[in-house]
Amino acid sequence: MTAIQLAMTETYEIDAIDRQIIAATQRGLPLSNQPYHDVAKQLNLDVKDVLLRMQNMQDKGIIRRIGVIPNHYKLGYKSNGMSVWNIPEEKISELGQLVGSLDFVSHCYQRPRFLPEWPYNLFAMVHGKTHDEVIAKVDVIASLLGNNNRGHEILFSTKILKKTGLRIG
Amino acid sequence: MAAEPIGHLDRHHHKTELIQQLLNAFQHDFPLSATPYADIADKLGITEQAVIDLLTQLKQQNILSRVGAVFRPNRVGASTLAAMAVPEHRLEEVADIISSYPAVNHNYEREHHFNLWFVATAENAEHLDSILNDMEKKTAIRILSLPMEKDYHIDLGFPLQLIQGGHHD
């Protein structure tokens, strides 16, 4: 994403029709010959408008990607470890990008600390087929961070209590 | 397995390879066109109906969550990752209360002092705050709200390896 695109992302506001398209597609596109036509028909819109608006939302970063979304858990990726890191403020931008570029990291966010009980400001989600695989991948991150890692933990999930796609009202 | 006719094994292997291709190559850049499944079919060298049938089958088996857009967090409304330290004996009760909110789309139990982690989304920050306040009142447990400050991940999906020793990129 270019600097210009990033700047536009900050200011772009979706409108009511964009919201309708999001609401109609967030549970998935139909598995039919012309899925966008079906969405357009349902919303009483022109298919060209649906395609343009989805492209626009993608360009502006509202939509990150459109694709097939597998169920990782069902495919054997049963271990998900949320690795959390305490990184000095002045280094977090550079190191966040480094960790976020690793292909085994599926999410990488900077979040606020909550002192004293929560000192961690960088979150990197690591998936694997086993706990050991996740631990090995987290070790790779630790060695990349070196002395700039002031402490880390892995929080393994023990139970998925609820998981649905994004819903908006 | 030794008793299986070779042709059967070939077909099985071919199908797994096809699924791996379909799930890996189209986690992003799913076509925004009139007939996206036909476009994918062209790239895979199979028929449109075969693509639709395969995706329908994967959906029924819950291997595929959906085909569709992944929305960038914090772009559509306001959201946060929230953590709670729940006494072991209250975990089920509190988890049920949290999951019952439509604003909660992910809720995980994790191995840590902070053992309940969920994502809450609302149409704006004030509404999100009021939901979190309501949860604190109902459960009498403090909530750490850790909203995303910066996203360092370039989301292209997650590489899957379904075939033992197979190529992975």
Side-chain angles (χ1 to χ4, degrees):
Chain A
M1 202 178 259
T2 65
I4 292 167
Q5 278 175 316
L6 271 178
M8 287 168 81
T9 305
E10 301 304 324
T11 55
Y12 183 75
E13 293 277 342
I14 57 166
D15 66 11
I17 298 176
D18 287 334
R19 252 176 204 280
Q20 281 179 17
I21 294 172
I22 292 168
T25 58
Q26 62 194 352
R27 285 169 184 276
L29 289 168
L31 296 171
S32 62
N33 299 78
Q34 299 193 312
Y36 300 110
H37 283 76
D38 296 346
V39 171
K41 206 170 164 186
Q42 189 195 327
L43 299 177
N44 239 333
L45 294 170
D46 193 293
V47 67
K48 279 189 192 134
D49 205 21
V50 170
L51 291 171
L52 259 170
R53 281 170 177 275
M54 288 189 77
Q55 184 63 58
N56 189 40
M57 283 194 274
Q58 197 164 16
D59 294 343
K60 302 287 161 59
I62 312 281
I63 292 176
R64 290 172 89 135
R65 60 184 164 103
I66 302 171
V68 297
I69 318 294
N71 179 351
H72 296 121
Y73 192 85
K74 188 84 184 176
L75 284 165
Y77 289 82
K78 298 204 188 280
S79 183
N80 99 52
M82 184 172 74
S83 70
V84 294
W85 308 81
N86 180 355
I87 306 292
E89 286 308 319
E90 68 275 13
K91 284 281 181 185
I92 193 158
S93 185
E94 174 199 336
L95 296 173
Q97 286 174 54
L98 178 72
V99 174
S101 70
L102 300 168
D103 79 348
F104 55 79
V105 170
S106 70
H107 298 79
C108 185
Y109 298 141
Q110 181 180 335
R111 299 185 183 277
R113 295 186 174 95
F114 217 103
L115 295 172
E117 62 267 68
W118 190 259
Y120 307 109
N121 56 349
L122 187 70
F123 287 59
M125 193 65 74
V126 177
H127 297 265
K129 291 186 175 171
T130 61
H131 271 36
D132 286 349
E133 197 182 317
V134 172
I135 290 166
K137 286 171 175 172
V138 170
D139 285 346
V140 171
I141 300 176
S143 62
L144 281 171
L145 296 176
N147 290 333
N148 290 311
N149 170 20
R150 304 289 160 80
H152 75 278
E153 291 187 76
I154 313 176
L155 280 72
F156 284 105
S157 67
T158 40
K159 224 184 211 171
I160 302 175
L161 303 161
K162 184 173 181 182
K163 193 170 193 294
T164 58
L166 176 69
R167 274 190 215 145
I168 59 162
Chain B
M1 275 307 202
E4 294 245 26
I6 285 172
H8 179 86
L9 282 179
D10 270 358
R11 269 204 306 281
H12 178 70
H13 188 261
H14 179 71
K15 192 172 176 194
T16 308
E17 213 168 66
L18 195 62
I19 292 169
Q20 176 161 311
Q21 242 182 321
L22 186 61
L23 293 184
N24 275 336
F26 298 98
Q27 285 188 39
H28 58 100
D29 290 339
F30 181 84
L32 263 170
S33 68
T35 54
Y37 302 112
D39 298 348
I40 290 175
D42 281 348
K43 288 186 185 153
L44 294 178
I46 57 177
T47 66
E48 179 187 23
Q49 200 52 51
V51 170
I52 291 175
D53 289 348
L54 192 53
L55 288 171
T56 305
Q57 191 190 337
L58 293 174
K59 181 94 185 33
Q60 279 161 1
Q61 293 168 347
N62 198 22
I63 288 171
L64 176 72
S65 295
R66 65 196 154 93
V67 175
V70 176
F71 295 95
R72 190 169 170 159
N74 254 347
R75 295 291 161 203
V76 181
S79 71
T80 193
L81 176 68
M84 298 172 92
V86 183
E88 209 54 49
H89 70 278
R90 289 194 58 200
L91 195 53
E92 206 178 314
E93 168 221 341
V94 173
D96 284 349
I97 292 173
I98 299 299
S99 292
S100 73
Y101 285 81
V104 172
N105 43 50
H106 287 201
N107 188 12
Y108 282 87
E109 183 186 329
R110 294 190 180 277
E111 285 172 335
H112 194 270
H113 170 63
F114 288 102
N115 51 358
L116 194 67
W117 290 80
F118 59 93
V119 175
T121 304
E123 59 268 22
N124 58 48
E126 295 85 65
H127 189 207
L128 184 59
D129 277 349
S130 77
I131 291 168
L132 295 177
N133 284 335
D134 192 58
M135 290 170 167
E136 283 186 328
K137 266 191 216 134
K138 255 188 203 157
T139 61
I141 295 172
R142 193 166 65 120
I143 295 178
L144 262 60
S145 175
L146 307 170
M148 179 191 78
E149 293 179 326
K150 204 157 176 210
D151 184 355
Y152 293 111
H153 183 245
I154 298 174
D155 185 1
L156 297 176
F158 177 73
L160 297 167
Q161 196 169 0
L162 307 184
I163 299 166
Q164 211 60 35
H167 179 65
H168 153 115
D169 64 11

